[in-house]
Amino acid sequence: MADEKKVLKLGIPAGSLQEATVELFRRAGWNIKIQSRSYYPSIDDVEIECMTIRAQEMARYIADGVLDAGLTGYDWIMETGADVHEVAELIFSKVSRRPVRWVLCVPEDSPVQSVKDLEGKRIATEVVGLTTRYLQSHGVTARVEFSWGATEVKPPKLADAIVEVTETGSSLRANNLRIVDEVLQSTTRMICNHAAWADPWKQHKIQDIATMLQGAMNAEDHVYLAMNLRRDSLLSVLDILPALQKPTISSLADDNWVAINTIVNEREIRSLLPRLREAGASGIVEMPINKIIG
């Protein structure tokens, strides 16, 4: 009898993280195509079956074994209390490479100055569990209500305060809200269930995916530089050359010349290249990088 086909059931977060996740997988080497009205994206890997699931539900379905692995936010792992194995932290979001923040907010003119002032008040949020535990940790008893959306517009008529997620704070400011306290910082995590992690083939596949995703993220905003220079200019060039690691220095056919290869942040290029040329570098080549795997 032929061996059973080995397949990893992988969850792709629907909603705000979906586009960023698909792009990250593309840079890591997998092409995912999501069809409208379908929860089963295609992927160019016969060993992976994808399913789109709301990030809010991802950890629960992975813990229950409906999916082997997937990507979701640390906030939703904590909110659901799902018992999962964390494979890797992947710091990306729909807007930036910064963690998102769940914050306690009140109207600008509210008398509330700290969480202690919310005793007996009403708080609207999508993360009822997180908020309830946060209040308990401060010894505060308040009425926490689930918000189905448009949470920012609920104070002051429908709630005294809210706990809402933000990356830039622009939506909060637009609704005349001020932050009283930070409840939680969250980043995207790759997680799997314990049974999948205990399966040697699935664990290896999951680790391979995590390695490539992290490699693609490490390469973001970095470029590869190669250049030649006279050996007597080497110290001058090294003094101004930032590097992800120590640059590679190779001898050339002419013993008076060396080649340098290194990786630098792309934001430094416009000021760095003229300085390298002034220091004696020539034949400078800048190339994009797809992945950096340490």
Side-chain angles (χ1 to χ4, degrees), residues 27 214-223 289-292:
R27 291 191 285 113
Q214 289 178 313
M217 292 187 68
N218 291 340
E220 193 172 276
D221 300 328
H222 287 85
V223 295
I289 301 174
N290 292 325
K291 301 167 192 69
I292 299 174

Side-chain angles (χ1 to χ4, degrees), residues 208-219:
D208 283 352
I209 295 170
T211 296
M212 297 303 286
L213 293 178
Q214 289 178 313
M217 292 187 68
N218 291 340

Side-chain angles (χ1 to χ4, degrees), residues 10-14 18 34 38-41 50-54 58:
L10 181 68
I12 303 297
Q18 181 174 291
I34 298 178
S38 173
Y39 293 97
Y40 298 95
C50 292
M51 185 176 184
T52 54
I53 295 287
R54 283 170 56 86
M58 183 74 73

Side-chain angles (χ1 to χ4, degrees), residues 73-76 78 89 91 97-103 130 164-166 181-189:
Y74 175 69
D75 45 2
W76 299 115
M78 298 300 293
E89 181 179 24
I91 305 178
R97 288 285 299 272
R98 295 176 297 181
V100 298
R101 304 164 63 217
W102 285 93
V103 290
L130 276 177
E164 180 65 330
V165 68
T166 184
D181 196 12
E182 182 178 277
V183 176
L184 180 78
Q185 284 197 12
S186 176
T187 55
T188 303
R189 312 293 170 97

Side-chain angles (χ1 to χ4, degrees), residues 20 32 35 70 81 115 121 136 138 140 156 167 176 194 205 208 224 252 259 274 276 280:
I32 298 174
Q35 306 295 329
V115 62
K121 302 295 186 181
Q136 290 173 345
H138 288 275
V140 174
E167 285 190 53
N176 296 313
H194 295 293
K205 186 71 175 179
D208 283 352
Y224 181 87
L252 297 179
L276 289 173

Side-chain angles (χ1 to χ4, degrees), residues 105-277:
C105 301
V106 296
E108 283 284 1
D109 58 359
S110 170
V112 172
Q113 297 298 320
S114 77
V115 62
K116 298 289 187 181
D117 298 328
L118 289 169
E119 179 71 31
K121 302 295 186 181
R122 178 180 296 179
I123 303 172
T125 184
E126 192 178 355
V127 285
V128 173
L130 276 177
T131 301
T132 301
R133 291 192 293 273
Y134 164 77
L135 292 172
Q136 290 173 345
S137 71
H138 288 275
V140 174
T141 300
R143 182 175 174 179
V144 182
E145 298 180 341
F146 181 77
S147 174
W148 293 93
T151 307
E152 299 99 323
V153 303
K154 294 188 174 178
K157 292 186 177 181
L158 300 179
D160 299 292
I162 65 171
V163 171
E164 180 65 330
V165 68
T166 184
E167 285 190 53
T168 64
S170 58
S171 180
L172 301 177
R173 290 189 294 272
N175 286 280
N176 296 313
L177 298 172
R178 60 178 167 84
I179 296 174
V180 174
D181 196 12
E182 182 178 277
V183 176
L184 180 78
Q185 284 197 12
S186 176
T187 55
T188 303
R189 312 293 170 97
M190 185 174 186
I191 58 175
C192 68
N193 63 53
H194 295 293
W197 194 248
D199 180 298
W201 182 86
K202 287 184 178 180
Q203 182 182 134
H204 190 267
K205 186 71 175 179
I206 291 166
Q207 287 179 318
D208 283 352
I209 295 170
T211 296
M212 297 303 286
L213 293 178
Q214 289 178 313
M217 292 187 68
N218 291 340
E220 193 172 276
D221 300 328
H222 287 85
V223 295
Y224 181 87
L225 278 186
M227 67 201 77
N228 297 333
L229 60 145
R230 294 187 62 86
R231 193 176 293 274
D232 55 17
S233 299
L234 182 57
L235 292 179
S236 299
V237 169
L238 291 179
D239 281 343
I240 63 173
L241 190 64
L244 187 66
Q245 297 175 342
K246 292 183 178 179
T248 300
I249 303 171
S250 306
S251 296
L252 297 179
D254 185 336
D255 287 339
N256 294 318
W257 286 75
V258 296
I260 292 182
N261 300 281
T262 191
I263 295 170
V264 301
N265 194 298
E266 188 175 19
R267 290 189 297 271
E268 300 172 328
I269 285 295
R270 64 185 182 188
S271 60
L272 180 62
L273 294 192
R275 294 173 62 202
L276 289 173
R277 185 179 179 185

